[in-house]
Amino acid sequence: MRHAFIAASTLSLLLAGPVCAKTPEQVAAAALAASPVFDGHNDVPEQLRDRRKNMLAGFDFNDTTGTADPAKGAAAMHTDLKRLKAGKVGAQFWSVYVSANLPEPQAVQATLEQIDVMKRLIARHPGQLQFCTDSACVEGAWKQGRIASLLGMEGGHSIGGSLAVLRQMHALGARYMTLTHFKNLAWAESATDAPMAQGLTPFGKDVVREMQRLGMLVDLAHVSEKTMLDVVAVAKAPVIVSHSNARVVNHHPRNVPDSALDAIKANGGIVMVNFYPAYVVEDTRQWGSRRAGEEARLKSLNAGNPDAVKAGMAAWDKANPLPIGSIADVAAHIDHIARRIGVDHVGLGGDMDGIENTVQGMEDVSKYPALFVELARRGYSQADLEKIASRNLLRVMKGAEAYAKAHAGDAPIENPTTF
C-alpha cells in the first residue's frame, strides 16, 4: 500500500506539470507591485533652491534628464515623475534641507521657503503627487495611483532652538526632523563635528519628547553614536535613520554602529540605506582620505602657487580614479543590518539629488527595481522585500502616530524665548 501511495502521488505531480520557482526578477516585481518603494530621503527641494532660486516657472518635473549644466559643474537631476514611476516609488519623504552654515534665524526662514516650494511643486502635479502627513494618506495615495509626498526637515538648526518653531513646522506638514546635519548644535552632537560632552543636552531630550508628542519622526541620520544612544534612551515611539548605512561595512562616522543598531531594534525603529559611494564603499571613503592628504601635501609644497596644486591634483585624479561601487555594495549593508537586527528594521533612503554621484546601477530614482532583484538573488523572500520597500516605514509611522494619539492631551513642552 505504501508503494501504491508513492506511485499515485508521483503520477499526480507528473500530471500537474513541473513546479516552477519564481525568478529573482519575478519575486522583485511581485514585491514592488504589492508594496511600492517608500523612500526616506530625496533632495529635490535643495536642487530647486540651488539651481532655480525656488522659481518653478519653466521647470518640467515630468522629465529632468536635460538639467545638466556643465559650465556650473552640475549634473542632471536624479529625480522626475517619469523615473519615479519607472522606479516603482509610491511614497517619498522630500527633504526640506537648508545649509547648517546659515545663522539659525535665517535657517528657519529658508526652511519655510523650502516647505513652500515643495508644496507648490506637489500642487502642480495633482494627478501624480499627493501631499501627505500620515500613514493613512500614504496608503490612500497608492490606491489612487499617486506618489505620496511627505516633508522631512534635515537638521535641527531649522527650528532655531525653539520648540514653538518646531510645533509650527509640524503644523505646516513636516513629519520628521533629522536632529543635526554635519555640524553640532548647542543641544545635539553631530557625527562629523568635534565631540561634545554629551550627545543630547536636557533641551535636546525635550526636543525628542516634543517631536514624539506631536507624532513627528525623530531622525538619527547625521548624528553621533552618543546622540543615537541618548535619543533611543529617551524615545517612547519608534525612530528612523532616514539615509545612513552600516558602519561595520563602511567605517564612515555618518553610518550606524552596531551598538546603535541594537538599540534601534529594541526601540522598534528602522535604518534606511542610501546610495552615496562614500557611505557605501569603504574603498571610496579611503580614496577620499588619500585625496585630501595629497591635496594638503601639494598645498604645503606649492604655497602661493595654486596653479601647481591644481595641475598636481588633476594628475592624481587621473592616476587614481574614484571607486564608486555597485548595487552589490548597497545590498551588503542591507545584509548586515538584516542579519544583525532583522529585516523588519531595514528601509531605503537613497539621498537622490543630495549627492554628486551614486553607486553603479543606482544612478537615479528609476533604478530601485534593480536593487530588489539583487536582494531576491540573495535569498530575500517577497515578504522580506515588501517590508524593505515600504511596510517597515509604514509600521514605524503608525507607531509614532499611535503614540501621539495616546498623548494628545499632554501639554506642549515649553522653552523660553532667547530674544
Side-chain angles (χ1 to χ4, degrees):
M1 292 295 292
R2 176 174 174 270
H3 295 294
F5 173 76
I6 293 173
S9 299
T10 303
L11 179 61
S12 66
L13 286 173
L14 290 171
L15 291 172
V19 177
C20 297
K22 288 184 177 180
T23 66
E25 289 78 8
Q26 290 171 326
V27 173
L32 293 175
S35 181
V37 171
F38 188 172
D39 181 88
H41 194 91
N42 183 296
D43 277 297
V44 159
E46 179 186 3
Q47 296 300 318
L48 295 175
R49 189 176 191 88
D50 290 349
R51 294 172 187 251
R52 305 184 60 84
K53 306 300 181 186
N54 286 352
M55 303 293 288
L56 294 181
F59 177 65
D60 182 7
F61 197 41
N62 290 293
D63 184 355
T64 65
T65 55
T67 55
D69 188 347
K72 295 182 179 178
M77 290 176 62
H78 299 143
T79 310
D80 56 39
L81 295 175
K82 181 179 178 181
R83 287 180 286 174
L84 285 166
K85 183 177 180 180
K88 309 301 181 184
V89 177
Q92 181 67 67
F93 265 109
W94 304 104
S95 173
V96 289
Y97 161 80
V98 300
S99 174
N101 287 323
L102 292 173
E104 287 193 346
Q106 191 174 344
V108 172
Q109 175 185 328
T111 302
L112 292 172
E113 292 169 350
Q114 295 314 103
I115 290 173
D116 172 79
V117 74
M118 201 59 217
K119 282 186 172 181
R120 288 190 287 119
L121 183 62
I122 294 165
R124 281 164 63 106
H125 300 280
Q128 295 123 309
L129 302 177
Q130 182 171 332
F131 180 64
C132 285
T133 59
D134 59 33
S135 58
C137 178
V138 171
E139 293 174 313
W142 290 349
K143 291 176 182 177
Q144 297 172 19
R146 297 173 181 165
I147 298 169
S149 294
L150 304 93
L151 304 180
M153 301 161 62
E154 190 175 13
H157 55 290
S158 292
I159 64 168
S162 169
L163 296 179
V165 171
L166 173 68
R167 287 188 285 272
Q168 295 310 303
M169 294 296 189
H170 177 267
L172 290 171
R175 286 301 178 266
Y176 79 60
M177 184 172 74
T178 318
L179 296 188
T180 72
H181 197 243
F182 69 91
K183 293 175 66 174
N184 292 337
L185 300 175
W187 49 271
E189 181 183 86
S190 169
T192 48
D193 204 348
M196 297 168 59
Q198 58 194 123
L200 280 183
T201 68
F203 175 72
K205 294 175 182 179
D206 277 347
V207 171
V208 171
R209 294 185 184 105
E210 187 67 351
M211 288 176 69
Q212 296 204 320
R213 186 190 71 82
L214 293 167
M216 194 173 189
L217 295 170
V218 179
D219 179 21
L220 305 184
H222 286 286
V223 306
S224 71
E225 180 179 5
K226 284 193 296 184
T227 302
M228 291 179 184
L229 297 176
D230 283 354
V231 167
V232 175
V234 172
K236 303 298 184 184
V239 302
I240 67 170
V241 188
S242 67
H243 58 302
S244 297
N245 295 328
R247 197 177 296 181
V248 163
V249 181
N250 177 311
H251 303 304
H252 198 289
R254 268 278 283 107
N255 289 335
V256 186
D258 281 353
S259 62
L261 288 179
D262 295 343
I264 289 166
K265 177 182 181 178
N267 163 267
I270 182 174
V271 178
M272 309 181 76
V273 171
N274 81 11
F275 312 144
Y276 185 42
Y279 303 155
V280 174
V281 184
E282 175 63 16
D283 191 37
T284 308
R285 187 180 80 91
Q286 296 286 346
W287 178 93
S289 179
R290 293 192 298 271
R291 189 181 191 280
E294 177 64 11
E295 186 172 29
R297 186 184 75 85
L298 289 172
K299 285 181 177 179
S300 176
L301 292 174
N302 296 282
N305 188 356
D307 290 341
V309 175
K310 184 177 180 180
M313 289 308 301
W316 192 93
D317 287 341
K318 185 176 181 179
N320 299 274
L322 172 70
I324 61 170
S326 69
I327 289 176
D329 294 299
V330 176
H333 287 270
I334 294 172
D335 284 345
H336 177 78
I337 298 166
R339 283 195 299 264
R340 180 82 187 190
I341 63 174
V343 75
D344 289 345
H345 303 280
V346 188
L348 300 175
D351 210 1
M352 293 296 191
D353 278 311
I355 51 181
E356 65 272 14
N357 54 20
T358 67
V359 299
Q360 187 174 7
M362 296 301 300
E363 290 83 4
D364 58 51
V365 296
S366 72
K367 306 299 185 181
Y368 288 96
L371 174 59
F372 283 84
V373 171
E374 172 66 22
L375 294 175
R377 288 193 183 113
R378 291 172 179 237
Y380 289 81
S381 68
Q382 180 179 330
D384 293 336
L385 297 183
E386 289 181 20
K387 290 178 179 181
I388 292 168
S390 56
R391 297 199 191 283
N392 288 340
L393 183 52
L394 276 174
R395 171 188 58 79
V396 168
M397 283 188 70
K398 289 175 181 179
E401 290 162 5
Y403 179 85
K405 183 176 180 180
H407 292 267
D410 294 359
I413 300 173
E414 296 185 312
N415 72 303
T417 58
T418 56
F419 60 89

